[in-house]
Amino acid sequence: MPNVADGKAATAPAQHGLGRKSEEGKLFGSFPGQVDRLILDIDGVLVDPSSSYYAVGRKLLSREGATLSDEDIAAFKWAGGFNDDWDLARAALGVFRYRQRSGDMRPLSALLTPDAGLPCVLQLVGGDDPGDLSAECERLYAHIAHEEITLVEASLLGQVAARLPLYACTGRTREQTLAAFAAFGLSPQAFVSCETVKKPNPNALLPLLEGSRFALFVGDSWDDCLTSMHAQALTSTQLHFFWCLPAGASAAEVQQRLGRGGQGACIGLEALLWKLLQP
């Protein structure tokens, strides 16, 4: 279970000058005036996956002398089709083996076809595919899941939950989803996990929009944004997608994300939650 932020009363984020620190907690872009439910991705939004999911991928690759850098992870996530971290680990190991055998050292971004996901990588690497790694990944994850760190204070999320129903659209399993919310002392009104359907399939989001007029979905990947755009085309709900970017993201990165999709961006979930608490 993730480590819970301390129980001190939440206070509004401080305003800073320019520079990397000033980007933390900042909200970019337009904000919808009416929201009747908040739908959250979990990894990269509520919980930092670097010490769990990404650590599992790194451990698997390290057994063969390979590395999985932050830049590699970003390349997979930004290409699309790698919302499942076990698929990402499989693709990364397959690409490493392929490069070792073929000598093809093109940048990872040149090897990934946008939105094509794992099937395209498997076609590229052929016999270098390590096969389904989900069982091994789950075994490794079980030993380090408790090391996950939450990205927002429980008290702040609780204040928002008292005003708006919380939902989850995630690539986690049902058990992992409930554990992530339990770390904040909360339960989602409803959620769609990976056992049901995987993003960017719009059916990962559509059941969570039933009965809503104005919904806000917060995610951190291109697959999240695609899910939102696909779902919006199939529903009368006014659906707004906000990028949740890591601390240290630059204004240029924010503009790049917004140029590809979504209505706005925040550096960390905190700024968005404070906005939702305003009268």
Side-chain angles (χ1 to χ4, degrees), residues 30-108:
S30 60
F31 190 83
Q34 295 176 294
V35 176
D36 58 33
R37 70 183 56 181
L38 178 60
I39 306 170
L40 300 170
D41 178 36
I42 293 178
D43 296 302
V45 176
L46 285 177
V47 175
D48 182 356
S50 60
S51 62
S52 56
Y53 286 107
Y54 300 162
V56 167
R58 290 183 171 114
K59 185 175 182 62
L60 283 174
L61 267 70
S62 69
R63 293 174 177 177
E64 298 192 22
T67 59
L68 182 62
S69 67
D70 290 343
E71 292 73 18
D72 292 336
I73 293 170
F76 280 112
K77 294 289 188 180
W78 190 229
F82 293 97
N83 186 68
D84 187 322
D85 292 291
W86 304 156
D87 285 352
L88 190 156
R90 178 179 179 178
L93 185 54
V95 167
F96 171 75
R97 291 178 175 179
Y98 164 75
R99 282 173 164 169
Q100 292 290 100
R101 176 183 57 79
S102 67
D104 183 352
M105 302 307 292
R106 285 178 294 164
L108 184 55

Side-chain angles (χ1 to χ4, degrees), residues 166-183:
L166 299 184
Y167 295 73
C169 178
T170 175
R172 287 188 172 219
T173 65
R174 174 183 176 84
E175 181 181 357
Q176 293 163 2
T177 298
L178 293 174
F181 272 82

